[in-house]
Amino acid sequence: MQQTLLKYIPSSAVTSVSELIKTYNVHLKIVKDRQTKHGDYRMLPSGKHQITVNYSLNPYRFLMTLIHEIAHLIAFETYGHRIKPHGVEWKYVFQKLMLPLINPKVFPDSLLPVLAKHFRNPSASSDTDAYLSIALKKYDSHNEKNYIFEIPIGSLFTAANGRVFKKGKKLRKRYECLEISTKKIYVFQPNAEIELIKTKN
């Protein structure tokens, strides 16, 4: 397991994460990208715990996603299956598992203050924390996608669902965008990943 983890998470976190996987009898599957989630946890009919994580995540996002899912497992085992998936029990376990890892041996200095702030009250997905999502994206391998906040007002872009929009004005934090086909206005988070449609000059 350690050799597999070395390919996906920071080397200084491998031993402690490997111990968690062994202790909780986790079957880890590394899978192709899914647009709707980075990872998930489920109990198999055999009683074994299965966690899946998208293979292309950068090492820091992969580590956070894996710990996020292990926290689900531990929270359900500790507090029962009636708890809310991302309720106070899960937040407590996630914080407890992550705090020892938030140090310069595991994460770059630039991520540490953003992580410290996020883990005061962790959200259901790192993507809903715009500051953390943007900070983590710097460590992604290059792709053709942008965040909405990065492109000029008036730009055309394709959203994850394939629909085409035109970027409009900024509200307090989010952006109004016009769907081209329906002329309806939708609101996007600044860290929504989109693909810019390049127009000819």
Side-chain angles (χ1 to χ4, degrees):
M1 176 53 69
Q2 290 198 12
Q3 289 303 311
T4 299
L5 289 173
L6 274 169
K7 299 176 186 176
Y8 296 99
I9 67 174
S11 59
S12 51
V14 166
T15 301
S16 58
V17 173
S18 180
E19 282 299 313
L20 279 173
I21 288 171
K22 184 179 177 182
T23 299
Y24 290 96
N25 195 26
V26 172
H27 175 55
L28 174 62
K29 285 182 69 177
I30 297 160
V31 300
K32 66 181 182 180
D33 281 356
R34 295 160 291 187
Q35 284 190 347
T36 56
K37 57 188 172 183
H38 298 310
D40 68 12
Y41 157 72
R42 68 182 63 185
M43 182 183 282
L44 300 176
S46 63
K48 198 163 187 176
H49 303 288
Q50 177 177 284
I51 287 173
T52 65
V53 183
N54 295 359
Y55 82 97
S56 68
L57 303 180
N58 73 49
Y60 312 114
R61 195 185 289 276
F62 193 106
L63 175 59
M64 286 181 58
T65 301
L66 179 52
I67 298 297
H68 174 126
E69 301 306 336
I70 292 173
H72 280 305
L73 186 169
I74 296 173
F76 285 136
E77 283 206 337
T78 306
Y79 301 103
H81 285 264
R82 290 174 179 253
I83 62 170
K84 292 181 180 179
H86 297 105
V88 293
E89 299 88 355
W90 170 81
K91 287 176 187 278
Y92 171 74
V93 175
F94 194 20
Q95 287 171 325
K96 190 175 177 182
L97 294 177
M98 278 300 302
L99 286 177
L101 297 170
I102 301 174
N103 68 71
K105 291 182 179 179
V106 178
F107 289 97
D109 288 345
S110 62
L111 282 178
L112 293 175
V114 188
L115 287 168
K117 184 176 181 181
H118 176 80
F119 277 97
R120 288 177 197 155
N121 185 25
S123 55
S125 168
S126 60
D127 288 345
T128 58
D129 181 336
Y131 295 107
L132 178 58
S133 183
I134 291 162
L136 285 169
K137 187 175 187 285
K138 294 175 184 175
Y139 299 93
D140 289 346
S141 57
H142 178 73
N143 61 45
E144 295 300 315
K145 293 191 175 179
N146 296 92
Y147 286 136
I148 278 193
F149 82 91
E150 296 176 314
I151 66 173
I153 287 176
S155 299
L156 294 177
F157 65 88
T158 306
N161 57 17
R163 289 147 67 184
V164 176
F165 293 85
K166 183 177 183 179
K167 179 180 173 180
K169 67 181 181 181
K170 185 177 182 181
L171 303 175
R172 285 186 62 195
K173 290 184 178 179
R174 299 182 293 176
Y175 290 89
E176 280 189 348
C177 298
L178 175 73
E179 186 180 10
I180 298 302
S181 63
T182 63
K183 305 301 180 189
K184 290 182 179 177
I185 297 289
Y186 291 84
V187 179
F188 284 79
Q189 294 284 1
N191 61 318
E193 269 201 327
I194 53 89
E195 193 160 346
L196 179 65
I197 298 173
K198 295 176 181 175
T199 55
K200 295 179 181 179
N201 293 329

